[in-house]
């Protein structure tokens, strides 16, 4: 609790359980679903806007609920990440993705992929998180170069000094770091130089308004300039139209992700795609 006092803008530990039995029921259900493997990972490519190639994917969790079908992470991650259940859930994601990377490699050994998982503030707060991740990479025999993490500024600000230290350790192992949802919420330009990140992902809100709203354009343009000055590459999130793509290319954005290129899809679909790419 003392830690929160220093961080007035982010109270992730202030969980308001207030005997909210629905939340507790949901957490119990999720816990059971982790044991029963009732989750699935979908993958969405990030397109290199310079050469149209696909080398990187984002892993997005889906809850394959026994009774209710697919449930979006937007409906359960915000709750889970306020509890310690995010630890086993992220561990499930890590194992699932590493197992999939082995399958992807088996289907196209010549391509170099980078697959990013999303982590939450609490994951970085786990004392053994770096060790745990490194050990899984070894166990699954996956090169850390093929693995990345995405996290938001808000996640980082929870304990900035400690988190920068953790990210340094991950980077040292070869793991790439994406700063997610950039521009949304608390923007820590002050820290941008100190955080060892490789990529900034511009929040889809700005991309959505890119072609209609001068302010959004100015913000996106400035983020790209700033990032490049710091040797950081930029991913635009939520690219849905050709008009947005054209503007992004014009202002030198490095990568695009969004429904215009591909929706998140099952690993079977990704494997098919990779087989095709291998034949080319
Ligand atoms: P995010 O990390 O910002 O992921 C991007 C979200 O935007 C995904 O939603 C993706 O499906 C969606 N998206 C991609 N392209 C487009 C587009 O062109 N238009 C629109 N409107 N949306 C697009 P999704 O899969 O529902 O995930 C929602 C959020 O849940 C993620 O946002 C992330 O914060 C969280 N999340 C997902 N998987 C995980 C996970 O394994 N662990 C953690 N901790 N969080 C996760
Ligand atoms: Ca993300
Ligand atoms: Ca998050
Ligand atoms: Ca995002």
């Amino acid at each position: 609790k003392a830690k929160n006092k220093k961080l007035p803008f982010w109270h992730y530990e202030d969980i308001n359980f207030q005997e909210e039995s629905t939340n507790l029921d949901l957490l119990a259900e999720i816990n059971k679903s982790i044991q029963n493997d009732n989750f699935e990972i979908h993958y969405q490519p990030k397109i290199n806007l310079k050469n149209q190639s696909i080398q990187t994917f984002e892993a997005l969790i889906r809850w394959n609920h026994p009774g209710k079908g697919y449930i979006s992470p937007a409906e359960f991650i915000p709750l889970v990440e306020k509890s310690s259940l995010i630890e086993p859930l992220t561990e499930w994601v890590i194992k699932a993705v590493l197992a999939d990377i082995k399958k992807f490699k088996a289907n196209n050994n010549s391509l170099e992929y980078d697959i990013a998982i999303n982590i939450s503030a609490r994951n970085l707060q786990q004392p053994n998180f770096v060790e745990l991740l490194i050990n899984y990479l070894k166990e699954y025999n996956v090169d850390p170069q093929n693995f990345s993490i995405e996290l938001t500024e808000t996640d980082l600000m929870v304990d900035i000094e400690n988190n920068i230290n953790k990210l340094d350790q991950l980077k040292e192992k070869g793991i790439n770091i994406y700063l997610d949802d950039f521009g949304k919420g608390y923007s820590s330009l002050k820290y941008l130089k100190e955080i060892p990140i490789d990529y900034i992902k511009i929040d889809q809100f700005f991309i959505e308004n890119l072609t209609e709203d001068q302010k959004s354009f100015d913000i996106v343009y400035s983020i790209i300039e700033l990032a490049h000055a710091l040797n950081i590459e930029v991913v635009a999130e939520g690219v849905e139209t050709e008009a947005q793509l054209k503007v992004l290319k014009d202002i030198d954005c490095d990568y695009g992700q969004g429904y215009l290129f591909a929706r998140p899809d099952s690993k079977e679909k990704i494997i098919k795609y990779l087989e095709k790419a291998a034949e080319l």
Side-chain angles (χ1 to χ4, degrees):
K1 284 285 158 203
K3 240 188 284 162
N4 277 342
K5 293 220 174 76
K6 285 191 291 180
L7 300 160
F9 45 82
W10 177 242
H11 308 271
Y12 89 106
E13 272 173 331
D14 289 357
I15 324 164
N16 197 352
F17 276 120
Q18 287 185 337
E19 277 72 67
E20 277 204 38
S21 57
T22 46
N23 281 356
L24 291 175
D25 285 350
L26 190 61
L27 288 171
E29 234 185 313
I30 290 168
N31 190 25
K32 210 169 122 199
S33 282
I34 297 173
Q35 318 302 318
N36 295 339
D37 266 344
N38 285 331
F39 289 95
E40 236 174 78
I41 302 289
H42 279 190
Y43 295 91
Q44 188 182 32
K46 300 165 190 168
I47 282 67
N48 183 327
L49 300 183
K50 304 278 148 74
N51 61 15
Q52 315 304 320
S53 72
I54 297 176
Q55 294 135 327
T56 60
F57 294 87
E58 175 175 12
L60 296 156
I61 196 169
R62 273 89 184 93
W63 187 3
N64 196 354
H65 193 281
K68 297 177 195 150
Y70 277 118
I71 299 179
S72 146
E75 288 185 42
F76 63 89
I77 289 288
L79 175 67
V80 175
E81 68 186 3
K82 284 183 196 130
S83 83
S84 53
L85 197 61
I86 194 64
E87 299 182 11
L89 188 67
T90 300
E91 208 169 324
W92 186 91
V93 171
I94 292 169
K95 287 194 274 187
V97 167
L98 290 174
D100 286 350
I101 291 180
K102 290 192 80 164
K103 286 181 198 140
F104 295 157
K105 283 248 169 212
N107 281 274
N108 186 344
N109 207 14
S110 63
L111 273 184
E112 282 304 321
Y113 317 120
D114 174 36
I115 297 185
I117 64 160
N118 289 281
I119 66 163
S120 301
R122 275 197 179 230
N123 294 125
L124 273 191
Q125 299 293 298
Q126 276 172 258
N128 65 340
F129 183 71
V130 174
E131 213 185 336
L132 181 132
L133 185 53
I134 298 301
N135 285 339
Y136 274 125
L137 286 162
K138 278 193 195 129
E139 185 185 324
Y140 283 81
N141 194 21
V142 167
D143 187 338
Q145 304 285 349
N146 296 126
F147 195 86
S148 299
I149 59 169
E150 297 194 359
L151 78 174
T152 65
E153 299 157 277
T154 317
D155 290 327
L156 273 173
M157 292 309 143
V158 171
D159 183 359
I160 184 83
E161 296 302 324
N162 175 45
N163 288 343
I164 288 180
N165 180 275
K166 291 260 174 85
L167 296 187
D168 279 333
Q169 292 176 46
L170 292 170
K171 273 224 62 73
E172 212 172 285
K173 302 286 181 191
I175 293 168
N176 283 322
I177 321 266
Y178 288 82
L179 198 53
D180 210 348
D181 300 351
F182 194 80
K184 185 185 177 186
Y186 186 85
S187 272
S188 51
L189 293 183
K190 180 177 132 189
Y191 290 107
L192 215 46
K193 240 170 48 183
E194 292 165 42
I195 310 169
I197 49 167
D198 304 280
Y199 304 93
I200 281 173
K201 299 186 77 174
I202 304 178
D203 192 69
Q204 56 189 54
F205 172 81
F206 300 107
I207 309 305
E208 194 185 317
N209 297 299
L210 182 64
T211 53
E212 283 130 46
D213 166 37
Q214 183 67 32
K215 239 188 206 157
S216 292
F217 174 87
D218 291 343
I219 290 171
V220 172
Y221 182 88
S222 307
I223 293 174
I224 294 172
E225 279 228 308
L226 174 68
H228 286 170
L230 296 169
N231 243 329
I232 296 167
E233 290 196 292
V234 181
V235 184
E237 300 196 271
V239 183
E240 292 185 351
T241 69
E242 290 288 349
Q244 291 163 350
L245 174 61
K246 187 180 178 308
V247 173
L248 289 166
K249 279 181 168 170
D250 283 347
I251 59 178
D252 217 18
C253 186
D254 304 286
Y255 296 87
Q257 182 179 4
Y259 297 165
L260 176 67
F261 309 110
R263 288 183 180 252
D265 220 327
S266 66
K267 71 165 177 289
E268 288 77 17
K269 287 275 176 61
I270 301 297
I271 287 174
K272 274 206 188 109
Y273 162 81
L274 293 172
E275 281 171 348
K276 260 199 196 144
E279 287 162 13
L280 297 177

